[in-house]
């Protein structure tokens, strides 16, 4: 059915259930399908040749527009809060206020740097960001079959939109909800627009008023892509879900987190920097018979 599921990076706790969901989604057809995806470390790469790739925040942090002092403070925040973000031994309730703290402090620091709207494109061009191998096929397949993709990101919307624009895949079926920058009249960053989206509030609470899922209420088959335990709730605002397939990229602390990921995601991809499995499943589902 999907030869990519034989890749050594694939782990599945309940294979029969997964095949059942894939078959059901195919039966419903492309007109019932939507994709809901995280951006950082899900559509973008976690690493390349042993080096970490940047998140949309890191792209700004590492760029020439942030002062040395600002860089150091942002790095200190990352080193303090990132281990908390991915700690399998802390509850979401414990993590939530700490993530609000991290995002608020990072956004305050970035807002002090006089970042210009007109600089973002060049900052992205000069960064080490990479989309996962196979991103072209993913976006092309979805566009060709009129399947909407909703990118739900706790990263920085202005930066991630520029990444997909430069990759030439920002098609009309791509919708983004994320943290957007607010610039003053002269195009200088003054703050971030609300509501704040962090790793553990990616659910309906920050989607009020966007009406996106309501407009797509006939799209009852969902493929959800994420890399964090916080990404699992991204489809909670969809009014009537009939079939949902959750695919999780397990990038970091693989051994410690495997159990929780296998319990929560239908398919877990361990240290897999490609979109091969997602593309293989979509190819099977979208294949006209
Ligand atoms: P997401 O992938 O769930 O949308 O979350 C965005 C990622 O951004 C999350 O894994 C933490 C990361 N991040 C940074 O790298 N630097 C920062 O300053 C902040 C606030 C978040
Ligand atoms: Mg992510």
């Amino acid at each position: 059915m999907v030869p990519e599921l034989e890749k050594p990076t694939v782990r599945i706790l309940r294979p029969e259930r997964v095949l059942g969901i894939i078959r059901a989604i195919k039966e419903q057809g492309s007109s019932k399908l939507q994709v809901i995806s995280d951006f950082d470390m899900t559509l973008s790469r976690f690493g390349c040749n042993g080096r970490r790739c940047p998140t949309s925040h890191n792209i700004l942090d590492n760029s020439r527009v942030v002062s040395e002092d600002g860089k150091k403070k942002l790095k200190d925040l990352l080193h303090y809060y990132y281990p908390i973000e991915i700690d399998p031994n802390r509850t979401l309730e414990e993590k939530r206020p700490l993530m609000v703290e991290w995002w608020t402090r990072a956004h305050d620091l970035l807002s002090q740097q006089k970042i210009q709207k007109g600089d973002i494109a060049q900052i992205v061009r000069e960064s080490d960001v990479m989309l996962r191998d196979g991103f072209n096929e993913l976006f092309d397949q979805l566009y060709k079959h009129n399947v909407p993709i909703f990118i739900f990101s706790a990263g920085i919307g202005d930066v991630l939109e520029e990444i997909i624009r430069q990759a030439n895949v920002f098609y009309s079926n791509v919708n983004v909800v994320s943290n957007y920058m607010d610039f003053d009249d002269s195009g200088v960053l003054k703050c971030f627009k609300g509501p704040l989206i962090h790793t553990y509030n990616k659910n309906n609470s920050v989607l009020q008023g966007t009406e996106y899922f309501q407009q797509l209420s006939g799209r009852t088959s969902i493929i959800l892509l994420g890399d964090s335990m916080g990404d699992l709730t991204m489809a909670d605002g969809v009014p009537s879900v009939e079939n949902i397939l959750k695919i999780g990229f397990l990038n970091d602390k693989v051994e410690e987190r495997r159990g929780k990921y296998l319990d929560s995601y239908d398919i877990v991809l361990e240290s897999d920097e490609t979109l091969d499995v997602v593309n293989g499943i979509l190819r099977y589902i979208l294949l006209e018979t």
Side-chain angles (χ1 to χ4, degrees):
M1 217 166 106
V2 181
E4 288 78 4
L5 289 172
E6 306 297 324
K7 274 186 84 174
T9 54
V10 178
R11 286 191 185 252
I12 302 174
L13 209 55
R14 290 174 287 270
E16 282 312 314
R17 193 186 111 86
V18 166
L19 295 182
I21 300 171
I22 296 174
R23 273 193 211 103
I25 294 178
K26 183 178 173 68
E27 240 156 64
Q28 293 290 309
S30 61
S31 66
K32 297 276 183 188
L33 179 63
Q34 59 172 310
V35 173
I36 300 175
S37 181
D38 169 50
F39 183 77
D40 289 301
M41 313 292 117
T42 294
L43 293 176
S44 69
R45 282 180 71 130
F46 178 75
C48 183
N49 297 327
R51 288 190 55 190
R52 288 286 291 273
C53 290
T55 62
S56 52
H57 280 93
N58 300 154
I59 290 173
L60 286 184
D61 303 353
N62 301 338
S63 75
R64 59 184 164 76
V65 295
V66 172
S67 68
E68 287 310 312
D69 179 57
K71 281 192 168 66
K72 185 185 174 302
K73 288 179 173 151
L74 286 157
K75 193 155 275 151
D76 288 346
L77 291 179
L78 181 71
H79 290 155
Y80 179 74
Y81 289 108
Y82 177 66
I84 299 174
E85 181 194 347
I86 64 165
D87 186 347
N89 301 315
R90 290 188 197 232
T91 64
L92 296 189
E93 288 68 34
E94 251 180 286
K95 292 182 187 191
R96 238 176 243 121
L98 295 164
M99 294 301 107
V100 173
E101 230 175 71
W102 180 13
W103 261 253
T104 306
R105 294 173 74 179
H107 287 182
D108 284 349
L109 279 167
L110 288 171
S111 303
Q112 290 163 17
Q113 305 291 321
K114 308 227 172 352
I115 296 170
Q116 310 235 356
K117 188 178 170 66
D119 283 342
I120 307 266
Q122 205 190 345
I123 292 169
V124 168
R125 255 192 304 277
E126 288 171 354
S127 77
D128 297 327
V129 72
M130 290 171 85
L131 293 175
R132 281 188 197 272
D133 289 353
F135 77 87
N136 265 312
E137 186 185 348
L138 172 69
F139 283 89
D140 286 353
Q141 284 201 78
L142 296 176
Y143 178 61
K144 188 170 147 219
H145 292 271
N146 288 314
V147 174
I149 170 165
F150 179 69
I151 299 177
F152 195 172
S153 168
I156 301 176
D158 308 74
V159 174
L160 81 86
E161 284 197 7
E162 187 56 36
I163 297 167
I164 52 180
R165 195 173 299 120
Q166 289 183 14
N168 296 313
V169 292
F170 203 165
Y171 301 129
S172 52
N173 61 324
V174 180
N175 285 278
V176 182
V177 165
S178 184
N179 297 302
Y180 282 90
M181 296 168 140
D182 203 354
F183 298 97
D184 67 17
D185 291 342
S186 51
V188 177
L189 174 66
K190 57 174 207 271
C191 59
F192 282 77
K193 297 174 188 165
L196 178 74
I197 305 172
H198 59 77
T199 331
Y200 296 113
N201 71 348
K202 290 180 148 189
N203 53 46
N204 223 8
S205 71
V206 291
L207 293 177
Q208 305 298 335
T210 60
E211 285 169 19
Y212 176 80
F213 289 141
Q214 264 60 38
Q215 289 158 23
L216 298 185
S217 56
R219 303 250 176 198
T220 50
S221 303
I222 293 163
I223 295 180
L224 179 146
L225 311 175
D227 77 293
S228 150
M229 294 299 288
D231 295 327
L232 288 156
T233 55
M234 292 191 299
D236 283 7
V238 179
S240 50
V241 178
E242 278 178 33
N243 301 291
I244 180 161
L245 182 69
K246 297 182 179 176
I247 305 177
F249 290 89
L250 178 48
N251 299 313
D252 203 3
K253 300 271 183 296
V254 172
E255 303 290 326
E256 294 105 293
R257 299 199 293 165
R258 177 178 292 137
K260 282 217 160 72
Y261 273 64
L262 280 171
D263 283 341
S264 316
Y265 280 103
D266 300 304
I267 300 176
V268 176
L269 302 171
E270 292 189 359
S271 306
D272 184 335
E273 294 291 354
T274 78
L275 290 160
D276 294 348
V277 170
V278 182
N279 281 329
I281 292 169
L282 280 171
R283 232 178 282 133
Y284 171 76
I285 288 172
L286 299 172
L287 188 76
E288 270 126 63
T289 45

